[in-house]
Amino acid sequence: MKVIVDKYVLAVIVISVAVAFLTHFPELISLFDHSGQNNLFPGMRMADVANEIFFTFVSLLILFALNTIIFGFNRASARITWVKMVLSFVMTWIMSNLLGQGFVFLHHHFDIPAIDAMVHHYLHPLRDFIITCLVTGSCYMIHLLRKSQQVLVENQQLRAENLLNQYEALKSQLNPHMLFNSLNTLRSLIRETPDKAQSYLQELSRVLRYTLQENECQSVTLREEMDFVRAYLYLLEMRYEDNLAFDIRIGQEAETRMLPPMSVQLLIENAVKHNEISNRRPLVVHIHAAGDSLTVSNPIQPKLTASGGTCIGLANLAKRYRLLFKKEIEVREDNNTFIVTIPLI
């Protein structure tokens, strides 16, 4: 962030120096005119021109500072509307004129070096207008540049988060423990109920295909996500049988809303991973969606042997929501129930 701020200050200084010299270019040309025909600025000295350039430079810094403080042009998150641009233009023009009058006052009362030529005074209104256009325009261009840089940075962060999400999803689906359980279940089904084995294999292939393909997307509809989730639930129910149940209530209006891929699966996996599931303590996971949010909740049933998870699943999901949608997920415990609510966009 410091580098970006330094770049903004450096850009303001460079623009101010360039404009200060360019606006006094006629005086500089006349100053170095040795033909003896300098009739536009009679009696002008080097100190007069240098002081005018220095004053213009300081005035530009003040104008940039006022626009930065009042309108936030240096903040990529600021919303710059045409009304703000008009207000910035008017304020800059008025302040430029007032600063010019202040310099004239200092010149007359404190004998500060300045150009007294009549044509120079006639050029002041035109220069005020040019300076106003340059300051307001530069502020807006710098704001757009910083905004585009922020978008690029966020896109890089999002790609990194998606890679991490893909890695975690693949690791959870393809780790030896999961494959061992799936193959064990499949072997039992092939021996006892071949028809169920075929269905199990079909759902397993859907889970793996979704994991490999849909992670390339930044968002999916809730309908697409739930099609995958139902395949994933089928595998879990085959493994845990009657000890694991799901209460799913999805409103029709919520099915077209968007969310990051694998979000619901991650919340279900979180519930299964951290809670006891047995004949003694069966687990019911509730998945409810209506309007603009989806909630996954389950009773808290800590395992006798705590699982050593990495605790990055929910954190990763929260980061993806911030980067994709500027939204926050909600995680809470209420009456011995663990509840996670995620926005539907």
Side-chain angles (χ1 to χ4, degrees), residues 84-143:
K84 284 187 177 180
M85 291 298 298
V86 171
L87 291 174
S88 170
F89 185 90
V90 172
M91 181 203 71
T92 304
W93 198 347
I94 293 173
M95 288 303 302
S96 179
N97 184 267
L98 290 176
L99 288 169
Q101 292 180 15
F103 181 69
V104 172
F105 176 84
L106 293 174
H107 169 62
H108 287 156
H109 291 80
F110 298 95
D111 201 28
I112 291 177
I115 301 172
D116 282 322
M118 188 62 67
V119 66
H120 177 77
H121 294 294
Y122 284 133
L123 287 173
H124 265 301
L126 176 61
R127 284 171 175 165
D128 286 340
F129 177 77
I130 293 173
I131 286 174
T132 300
C133 292
L134 288 172
V135 169
T136 305
S138 297
C139 284
Y140 186 65
M141 293 302 295
I142 292 173
H143 170 74

Side-chain angles (χ1 to χ4, degrees), residues 210-226:
Y210 185 90
T211 303
L212 292 169
Q213 294 177 354
E214 292 301 329
N215 266 324
E216 299 174 1
C217 303
Q218 293 183 352
S219 60
V220 295
T221 64
L222 180 58
R223 182 182 294 113
E224 293 171 322
E225 177 77 358
M226 291 309 298

Side-chain angles (χ1 to χ4, degrees), residues 260-287:
M262 315 264 326
S263 299
V264 181
Q265 181 269 343
L266 185 148
L267 299 180
I268 295 170
E269 181 186 33
N270 189 68
V272 172
K273 183 176 181 180
H274 296 288
N275 290 279
E276 179 184 349
I277 304 174
S278 61
N279 291 327
R280 183 176 66 89
R281 301 190 73 183
L283 182 71
V284 178
V285 179
H286 304 273
I287 307 170

Side-chain angles (χ1 to χ4, degrees), residues 28 31 45-56 113 115:
L28 288 170
L31 187 66
R45 300 168 301 167
M46 174 69 77
D48 298 333
V49 179
N51 215 35
E52 291 274 357
I53 292 174
F54 177 75
F55 168 77
T56 304
I115 301 172

